[in-house]
Amino acid sequence: MQNWLKAIFLVLSLSIAGCKAPPLPPEAKEADIQENSLWKAGAPIYASEDYQRYKESYRQAKNRLIKERGKFVWFRKYEPVQLALRNVLDEGTRLLEKVEKEKETKSSQITSQLTSCKKRINSIKKLSLITPEGKAARFFLMRAELMLHEVELMQQKGDLIAAEEKLKDIPTYIKDAESLIASPLERYGDEDVIKIWKKWVDEAISESRKKGTVAIIVSKLDRTLTVYKKGRLLGTYSIGLSRNGLSDKLHAGDYATPEGKYQIIKKLPKSKFYKAFLINYPNQEDIEKFNLAKKKGLVPAGVSIGGLIEIHGGGNDSLTDGCISLENKDMDRIFDLAVVGTPVIIVGALGNSDKLSLMRDGF
Amino acid sequence: MKNIFRVITLMVLVAFFFTACAKQPTQEMDNAKAAVESVKTAGAEIYAKDEFKKLNDDLTAALDEVTAQSKKLFKKYGKAKELLAKVKSDADALLPVVAQKKEEAKKAALAAQSEATAAVAEAKELLKKAPRGKGTKADIEAFTADLKALDDSLPEVQKAIDTENYLGAADKAKAIKEKATGISDQIKKAIEKVKPKPAAKPAPKKK
């Protein structure tokens, strides 16, 4: 009977002793908090592999903790677990830094791509106003702009991965718009064509210097009209063109502005559009070009070569039918300078045009 | 010798008593897991991210407790059961919250869609009144193309709503509205510009 009592006493003692477990290492709680912070910071997204490795270390440490807790209190030793948890905490701290850095890099990359896309869209938008395919191009540009806006909203919310993903689709729309606009503008990337334009301009300025006369130079891409007198630059004015203004005029109704060496054949002090200079379009070269195009079937049946191309007032934001329009005050400035016979050189672009470089880069 | 045998038998019986009565709470575990899964299916990952993460962590902690106890000689699953029951009740409580947040997101998306549609319609109406002439031809053509693109983008908002992507739908609608409003503002300015200015009142004559 005495032995029975001893046995019960032994069991009870062991049970009571089991209640006095050593405290859990504080690192366990810290690791839990850190894991949550890492999740909130987006570690599973921005540093997926590292996060998986960290999670594995975290799990292993926790398993060791569980294993240790499972031991009889006398045999529990938390020091090795504590060390493992500290290592996990260090790994977590490094990972958090990496995640923050990654997010910062991603965000700045997105911002830079957004800026670049906006810049391209704005350049094409300007060109869309003066090309026949501009309307179709604007459709794609607007789609691209809507997506840009969505990307900005995603970026603001911190959803950088979705923003980055969405951003990938935007260049396709921009390229679609570019390709629509690019075809009538291909000539602007042709060095030989630019050389010819530059030669016309140089010759006109040189003649102005030699003869002491006035010369008018129109650059369609730059949308400028420049006046020279005795070879010296008198002024540069902003102009408006037609919706197909960057194309070379071929026939009536093509809404293109002709390119070539012309001269004023009539001064109109009173015109539908304030004041005007009528130029000698079509000249001999235009007629030859038209006839050749007609032979090739490039001119619709019954369509003439057209005419009545003017430099007139009415505002530089005009959309003409092929003429060149100026602000009325600028028309006033040049009206008395020019005479009948004043050369008017209309070129696509000047060799040093900023827009030309932009287009070369863009397309 | 006889006594030693008795002591060993007693100890085995006590150990059996402690362990045999402590079976793993499999039913509670399954219930908690199912509750968490149903919250996930309801859209908690999107509409109640933080709460869902906490719920997942609590489930992991509860399962860890089960594992811990299963490795002990004297298994006590009481705490694990409590934790699992709490996970289930938290998940059950989160379910209507998620549904409510989802409904709110849906309402917000629908409101944004209406605003975007109205903004596009307003811009279209304004464009009809825009001053027409040689000087505005290009702008009108450009705005017409822009508005067509906006109009064509509106069904995408509906598509996002139909697929329950309410947050995405709201973003799309906001973008459309902003662009349409921008166009309206430009047209209004153009209309204002061409409005005939009221004749200036003659200055009072000096006596």
Side-chain angles (χ1 to χ4, degrees), chain A residues 285-328:
Chain A
E285 278 180 25
D286 295 322
I287 294 165
E288 283 167 16
K289 201 167 61 184
F290 174 79
N291 289 337
L292 191 67
K294 205 165 185 181
K295 267 186 196 168
K296 286 181 181 172
L298 298 171
V299 178
V303 171
S304 72
I305 193 167
L308 290 173
I309 297 294
E310 291 179 346
I311 296 170
H312 58 62
N316 60 16
D317 60 347
S318 293
L319 190 65
T320 68
D321 291 343
C323 297
I324 295 148
S325 64
L326 286 154
E327 288 293 316
N328 290 346

Side-chain angles (χ1 to χ4, degrees), chain A residues 174-232:
Chain A
I174 299 178
K175 271 182 192 160
D176 283 344
E178 269 176 355
S179 60
L180 276 169
I181 288 182
S183 54
L185 303 180
E186 270 168 8
R187 297 172 309 122
Y188 289 78
D190 189 333
E191 285 295 334
D192 292 337
V193 175
I194 290 164
K195 265 183 201 165
I196 293 169
W197 289 338
K198 207 169 176 308
K199 194 178 161 218
W200 290 351
V201 171
D202 290 344
E203 280 172 2
I205 296 170
S206 167
E207 200 180 308
S208 156
R209 191 181 301 118
K210 274 184 206 160
K211 294 182 181 173
T213 53
V214 170
I216 294 172
I217 312 290
V218 173
S219 170
K220 299 200 290 184
L221 185 65
D222 300 291
R223 289 190 150 211
T224 55
L225 181 149
T226 310
V227 180
Y228 288 87
K229 190 174 182 184
K230 295 177 183 171
R232 288 205 337 239

Side-chain angles (χ1 to χ4, degrees), chain A residues 40-85:
Chain A
K40 274 195 168 176
I45 303 162
Y46 299 107
S48 175
E49 281 179 24
D50 289 332
Y51 182 69
Q52 288 311 318
R53 270 198 296 275
Y54 159 83
K55 279 287 269 186
E56 190 48 41
S57 310
Y58 174 72
R59 291 291 309 163
Q60 276 176 11
K62 281 205 98 179
N63 282 341
R64 285 178 75 174
L65 185 71
I66 291 165
K67 202 175 165 188
E68 215 56 44
R69 276 176 65 199
K71 285 181 183 170
F72 202 67
V73 281
W74 292 346
F75 307 110
R76 281 182 203 170
K77 267 188 183 174
Y78 282 130
E79 287 81 9
V81 181
Q82 207 163 8
L83 191 69
L85 283 166

Side-chain angles (χ1 to χ4, degrees), chain A residues 1 3-4 7-8 10-11 14-15 19 32 35-36 39-40 51 55 59 62-63 66-67 69-72 76 125 128-129 134-136 138-140 142-143 145-147 149-150 153-154 157 166 173 243 255 273 312 314 317-321 323, chain B residues 3 6-7 10-11 14 18 49-50 52-54 57 60-61 64-65 67-69 71-74 76 79 133-139 141-150 152-153 156 167-168 170-172 174-179 183 193:
Chain A
M1 189 61 196
N3 286 334
W4 274 99
I8 290 165
L10 181 70
V11 169
L14 286 171
S15 303
C19 295
D32 287 346
E35 194 277 329
N36 201 40
W39 178 83
K40 274 195 168 176
Y51 182 69
K55 279 287 269 186
R59 291 291 309 163
K62 281 205 98 179
N63 282 341
I66 291 165
K67 202 175 165 188
R69 276 176 65 199
K71 285 181 183 170
F72 202 67
R76 281 182 203 170
K125 259 189 167 180
S128 77
L129 293 171
K135 203 173 164 182
R138 281 189 84 95
F139 177 83
F140 292 113
M142 181 51 84
R143 298 297 291 247
E145 280 190 304
L146 284 176
M147 288 173 115
H149 200 278
E150 280 182 62
L153 288 173
M154 286 168 178
K157 286 180 198 164
K166 191 103 193 161
Y173 285 98
R243 112 171 103 90
Y255 297 102
F273 303 104
H312 58 62
D317 60 347
S318 293
L319 190 65
T320 68
D321 291 343
C323 297
Chain B
N3 283 340
R6 278 180 181 165
V7 168
L10 180 72
M11 284 181 81
V14 168
F18 274 106
K49 261 184 188 176
D50 289 358
F52 185 66
K53 160 75 175 157
K54 192 184 174 301
D57 288 349
T60 310
D64 283 349
E65 178 61 25
T67 316
Q69 290 303 323
K71 285 176 181 170
K72 282 185 179 178
L73 180 63
F74 302 120
K76 286 185 276 183
K79 193 187 169 193
K134 216 173 178 185
T136 57
K137 209 170 164 185
D139 289 337
E141 281 193 0
F143 287 149
T144 308
D146 291 350
L147 283 171
K148 191 183 179 317
L150 292 179
D152 286 4
S153 303
E156 283 175 23
L167 303 180
D171 281 356
K172 274 181 198 298
K174 277 178 201 163
I176 294 172
K177 187 195 163 189
E178 189 157 305
K179 287 286 161 200
I183 293 172
K193 211 174 159 185

Side-chain angles (χ1 to χ4, degrees), chain A residues 153-171:
Chain A
L153 288 173
M154 286 168 178
Q155 195 187 19
Q156 279 166 22
K157 286 180 198 164
D159 199 351
L160 303 178
I161 299 293
E164 205 176 41
E165 205 52 42
K166 191 103 193 161
L167 203 51
K168 281 182 193 162
D169 297 333
I170 299 174

Side-chain angles (χ1 to χ4, degrees), chain A residues 242-259:
Chain A
S242 61
R243 112 171 103 90
N244 192 14
L246 288 183
S247 298
D248 190 10
K249 191 162 188 65
L250 190 61
H251 57 77
D254 62 3
Y255 297 102
T257 301
E259 289 158 19

